[in-house]
Each structure stands twice: as structure tokens, then as C-alpha cells.
Amino acid sequence: MLAGPLRIPRSGVICLTSCYIRVVPRRLVGMTEHNSTSIKVVVIGGGYAGTVAANRLRQRDDVEITVVNSRPTFVERLRLHQFVAGTGQAEADYGPLLGNGVRLIVDDATRIDTASRTVELASGRALDYDYVVYAVGSTAAPPTSVPGAVEFAYPIAELEHAQRLRAVIEQLPSQAPITVVGAGLTGIETAAELAEQGRAVTLICGERLAPTFSKRARRVVARWMARHSVEILENVRVAEVLQESIVLSDGCVVPSAVTIWTAGFGVPELAARSGLHTDALGRLITDETLTSVDDHRIVAAGDAAAPSNQPLRMSCQAAGPLGAHAADTVLARIAGAAPAMLDMAFLGSNVSLGRRAGIVQLAHKDDTPMNAHICGRIGAPIKETATKWTLWGIRWEARRPGSLFWVKGGRRLAVSDSELVANP
């Protein structure tokens, strides 16, 4: 699945994985000396990007690393659809995921005070920092613009959403109609997981099924859904959500005992509350080193970052490299060196179709789909391996800081400094 040349780092030997590339590091020159005063780095968010960043920062032994996360456990967002359907768990212990010396504080960051260089917490505490890694992740919620959506639709983007939804589904009769809104990867996986459990599922696409896939790959998904009696509604939107039905934009009414809303994207408002520039959806605007356009001591990673106001696709595939690059930027600034520009490429995307099938859509380095995919029963173990390797990669970085490497050469568009400033 790896196309094109790889840049082999001088720091070690490359080992390939499904999402990332693992490099066994040598000791980094200039990063092993003790300083009399430790450098405080606060990582806000303990998801895929935040944990990688925290572990990678351990390449210097004079850095004091604190991760602030709202939960005491790591949430495998890639498995929330399994948790909802009762076919898997979605939490992991932070013990093996965070390296020695990384401090975890279970709390919510409410504001970054750039003047005093403190991160204010919901508990009333304040953490001093020299650098912040802003890795707050993303969320999704039913839109207020659709009547009844907030009141009656169930989101699935966060653990608490999934816990609430699972409890409701477990009380439903087996043939009660379930509607999934949104035909991206999350919507497809949620609909498929429930359908394989014998649930009656309708999938409302908005426009078309699996819009980021090639035509051939979309046909594969559609055939699987048809075999499992999932009704697919394309080129139609939800106009209203009622307690036991939904009204479509064409006037049709679809019975729905539970409506699951997987469409949409949002991020926490921490950056905006802190007076930092964000894009229209609230992502922190950075330059191509992932440094905030407002403050060089704040570096972003993951879904909540908008490099050059052109964010990458929300994905675990991007989160790991972005977390690693954010850490590298901080380490470079500590060392008095110029941070490197962001350079990463996509390999494709994969989606599970229940527990026994899946599909891998191969992509060009700029994330546009190739007319090539892997599907069927072989697709399921590939997807499962990719999901497992995500945590394995984090664990490896915890044991060997600096070990994550990734495929490079993806296209990034040039943007002038004046274009980076958006919403204050």
C-alpha cells in the first residue's frame, strides 16, 4: 500500500505498519543534557494526536510533560460504533500508552492565558507552561438548524454519546427501525455493525454513499448493505427529526425508533475562548510548522488544527503524524532550531462492514481516491489490523520516543501570511 519513495531518517531503521511507520531511534544529539530548569509542556487532549505528542516530547529529559484530558481512560474513537452495537469495547488504559514521567491530569481546560502562560482548568487549578500542544480533538452533534435534531437524534462522536446510545438500543425490540444519518465512514460502519446484528437500518446519505470512495468501491459498499437489508437513501436530506420518525426533504416520513446522527464536524471552543484565531469551524489556525499564528508557544495537532487554514482530513491516519510533528516543532524551538514544515501523505482509508467484511480504498498521496480497492473478507482483517496498530504505535512511541515516522510527499498548497488570519 505504500507508493513512492520514502525518506529514510538518519535516526534509525524503518519498520512499516498500516497507519504509521516505526523508526527505532538512536540517541538524539543535543537532546540528552540536563538543564537546571525544566521546560514545561502542557498537552491539552489525550487522544491519538495528544498521546503521540506527549510521548515524543520525552526525547529530551529536561521537559516536564503534562497531559490534560477529560477522561481517565483513552477512548478508541475508531471503535465507538462497535461499542454501540455491543460487538466491542472502546476504552484503553493510559498505563502503557503514556511513557514514564508523563503526568496525566483528569480535568477540562477552560482557557489558555497567553499573557501569564497558564492553562486554566475547570477545577480551578492553573498550569504554568512554556509550550502548549493543542490537541483537543473533534466532536459532532446534531445541528440546531434541523428541527428536532438536538432533542431526538443521538450523536456518536464521543464515549458519553456512545454509552447513552447503546443503553437506548439495548432496550429496543430487535425489529425496531433505526435510522443512521450520514454516509461517511462513521455512518457506514455504524449502519453495518447494527445491520449485522439483525437490526432494521435505514442509511440517509444526504448526497451519495461513501463520497470519498471511488465508484467501484461505493458499489461494493452498496452491495453489502443490500445483502443485509439496509435501505440506502441518496440525494435526500433530513428536514425534521421527530420522536419516532424523521421527515425528509422530499416530504417522505421514515419510521425511526432511534435516529443516530453521524454527519457534521465540530471542535471544542477552547481556542476561540482563549482569543486565538480559528477557522469557521473553530479549529486553531497555524502555519505549516503547526505553530499558532498568534503565539509561537502554542502548537496544534490532530483534528483541531488548521495548518495554513487548510486542515487535513479528520482521521487517525493524520492524527499520529500531526501529533509527532507538533512535538518535533516544540523540540526544535527548545533547541533554538527552525521547525520543519509539515510533510505527510495519505495512503487511503478503510471501513469495516460488520465483523466479517471491510473495504480499503487506496488513495494518492494528496488523499484523492485511486480506482483501486481491497474488499471482502480480506478487508476485515486489514481494517482490524490498522485499528490495532494505532494503539501499538502509541505504545511503541511511549517506549521509544521519536520512533514514529510516516509517509511523506503529500501536496500542501502555498498560502500567504495574510490569508492565515480568520476568526479572532
Side-chain angles (χ1 to χ4, degrees), residues 64-276:
E64 179 184 316
I65 307 157
T66 300
V67 175
V68 178
N69 193 62
S70 60
R71 306 177 186 91
T73 56
F74 181 92
V75 176
E76 287 192 81
R77 192 168 176 178
L78 295 174
R79 295 194 187 275
L80 286 177
H81 65 286
Q82 289 181 247
F83 178 80
V84 166
T87 60
Q89 296 300 314
E91 292 181 87
D93 181 56
Y94 270 116
L97 297 178
L98 292 175
N100 292 335
V102 176
R103 179 174 60 154
L104 174 66
I105 294 180
V106 180
D107 209 331
D108 289 301
T110 58
R111 182 171 174 265
I112 303 169
D113 187 335
T114 57
S116 65
R117 295 220 305 258
T118 57
V119 175
E120 298 173 2
L121 305 181
S123 62
R125 298 176 62 184
L127 303 176
D128 295 332
Y129 71 82
D130 293 294
Y131 293 93
V132 164
V133 176
Y134 187 83
V136 298
S138 63
T139 186
T144 57
S145 58
V146 177
V150 173
E151 293 83 356
F152 301 120
Y154 292 83
I156 193 177
E158 299 184 29
L159 177 63
E160 292 76 15
H161 298 164
Q163 290 171 334
R164 175 171 170 250
L165 177 56
R166 175 170 171 167
V168 171
I169 290 177
E170 286 177 342
Q171 299 302 313
L172 288 180
S174 59
Q175 291 305 309
I178 296 175
T179 302
V180 177
V181 180
L185 303 187
T186 301
I188 290 170
E189 291 191 324
T190 302
E193 206 75 28
L194 291 169
E196 193 174 64
Q197 300 303 306
R199 296 289 183 175
V201 180
T202 298
L203 180 59
I204 299 178
C205 302
E207 294 180 359
R208 61 185 182 184
L209 178 69
T212 60
F213 280 15
S214 65
K215 289 183 179 180
R216 289 182 178 180
R218 288 201 297 272
R219 285 198 292 268
V220 171
V221 176
R223 286 197 297 268
W224 190 97
M225 294 292 183
R227 288 197 302 271
H228 290 79
S229 302
V230 176
E231 184 177 5
I232 298 174
L233 301 180
E234 294 185 294
N235 300 311
V236 67
R237 298 183 179 277
V238 176
E240 185 177 4
V241 181
L242 304 174
Q243 190 166 8
E244 295 185 353
S245 63
I246 58 174
V247 181
L248 302 180
S249 54
D250 60 6
C252 293
V253 177
V254 177
S256 182
V258 170
T259 299
I260 304 173
W261 202 282
T262 70
F265 174 89
V267 297
E269 298 178 349
L270 177 60
R273 285 200 305 268
S274 303
L276 302 172

Side-chain angles (χ1 to χ4, degrees), residues 357-385:
I359 182 166
V360 180
Q361 171 64 66
L362 305 182
H364 299 285
K365 287 187 175 183
D366 64 357
D367 205 27
T368 56
M370 295 180 181
N371 193 24
H373 63 271
I374 304 170
C375 63
R377 290 189 178 275
I378 192 174
I382 292 175
K383 163 67 176 180
E384 180 61 21
T385 299

